[in-house]
Amino acid sequence: VTLNVHCGLGAGPLVGLHVEDAKCTRRQFLVLGDVIDQVAEAEAMASHGEIVASVPAVKLLSRFCRLSPSILSSESPSVIACRSKSFAIPSLAYHDWKASRTLKVEQTEHLTDHGPKLSQRGVKITNGRSLENLRGHLSLYVHPVICEDEFSKQSDPFLSSNRDLVRRNRRAEAELRSVYTMFIKAQIDSKVSGRDEEDEKLFKTLGNIMKTVCRELDAYQGQLLNYIIDDKGVVLIATFGL
């Protein structure tokens, strides 16, 4: 079995933005930046089994890899790897950089004895109250129907002890339920300019869009499924009937 995939690679600054509704009961995490458009353009140019890098990504790679003159001089995204060959050969600078990064990680782990205990499975949380707080914060980023189902299952001893019955009921409900999906495209420019005043206005506008859409969806018993910013613009996906 061969898995046919193609990838786009970009490089540059990204902005992470948390937005929430007016009731502070639902949140979304947005990612903005020119690098998203770079990845979309490069991915669209890649054939099966290829990795295509944008011009800024090639420039960054050139600091650590040996690239052909044709790739370095290209003004459009270039193929840097395919199934049988890589056209970006790690240089001595890459190995020196990797060694310095490894040393920094080892020093950091040695000096942070009083921080959270890390293991191969992640951060170990021993405080039940902290875990519940974390769960509450993360639930704001999840579809409300999923959260309601999960919390009711945890709080109801009958449901928690009869998992097979719960699964059968879910299948039956899914078959009988009519779900409608709505796509909403906001007519705004989501480009990050790098100028603080302009970007703050953009971030505020994106937050206001979240509040307005959630308010109107609540009035018709709908829920926000996703809030996306990509090369196609600002898109919100809503569901009704769940």
Side-chain angles (χ1 to χ4, degrees):
V1 178
T2 301
L3 179 62
N4 286 322
V5 296
H6 57 279
C7 301
L9 183 65
L14 281 173
V15 175
L17 179 66
H18 296 268
V19 292
E20 61 185 6
D21 63 359
K23 299 177 182 178
C24 300
T25 57
R26 188 73 202 280
R27 289 180 186 167
Q28 289 278 306
F29 182 68
L30 308 179
V31 179
L32 304 86
D34 177 64
V35 67
I36 296 175
D37 294 336
Q38 294 178 33
V39 170
E41 181 186 9
E43 183 268 340
M45 295 177 61
S47 300
H48 290 314
E50 290 183 343
I51 300 177
V52 174
S54 67
V55 174
V58 168
K59 184 178 180 180
L60 180 62
L61 283 170
S62 67
R63 295 168 52 189
F64 305 101
C65 299
R66 295 193 299 273
L67 299 166
S68 67
S70 60
I71 293 178
L72 291 173
S73 60
S74 176
E75 296 182 358
S76 59
S78 304
V79 177
I80 60 169
C82 59
R83 282 198 182 95
S84 58
K85 186 176 181 181
S86 173
F87 305 106
I89 310 301
S91 63
L92 182 61
Y94 166 76
H95 295 293
D96 292 341
W97 173 82
K98 185 177 180 181
S100 67
R101 295 285 295 178
T102 303
L103 179 61
K104 288 179 181 179
V105 170
E106 290 176 351
Q107 291 175 342
T108 303
E109 290 179 348
H110 178 70
L111 294 174
T112 54
D113 294 334
H114 299 289
K117 295 182 179 179
L118 298 179
S119 66
Q120 291 181 348
R121 296 184 179 180
V123 180
K124 183 178 180 181
I125 301 177
T126 57
N127 188 317
R129 187 173 181 180
S130 298
L131 185 58
E132 283 300 316
N133 289 337
L134 177 61
R135 185 180 176 213
H137 284 297
L138 292 177
S139 68
L140 299 176
Y141 297 87
V142 182
H143 196 286
V145 173
I146 298 174
C147 291
E148 289 173 7
D149 182 64
E150 181 66 21
F151 282 117
S152 64
K153 183 179 69 175
Q154 293 290 336
S155 59
D156 191 324
F158 175 78
L159 293 178
S160 61
S161 61
N162 293 271
R163 297 182 184 276
D164 291 338
L165 177 61
V166 171
R167 279 194 287 267
R168 287 197 297 272
N169 287 340
R170 282 178 180 168
R171 285 196 293 269
E173 290 172 0
E175 291 170 359
L176 298 173
R177 189 174 294 171
S178 296
V179 179
Y180 300 90
T181 305
M182 176 185 289
F183 292 85
I184 306 166
K185 184 170 183 179
Q187 300 297 320
I188 66 167
D189 184 3
S190 60
K191 298 289 185 183
V192 178
S193 66
R195 294 181 287 274
D196 292 344
E197 187 174 350
E198 291 182 17
D199 290 341
E200 284 296 332
K201 289 181 179 178
L202 171 62
F203 302 155
K204 186 176 181 178
T205 300
L206 293 171
N208 289 336
I209 290 173
M210 173 81 172
K211 291 180 173 65
T212 302
V213 170
C214 287
R215 183 191 66 209
E216 297 304 313
L217 290 174
D218 286 344
Y220 295 94
Q221 299 181 340
Q223 300 95 13
L224 181 66
L225 177 63
N226 215 339
Y227 190 171
I228 306 168
I229 299 179
D230 56 17
D231 59 306
K232 300 176 183 63
V234 179
V235 178
L236 299 94
I237 305 174
T239 56
F240 297 86
L242 289 174

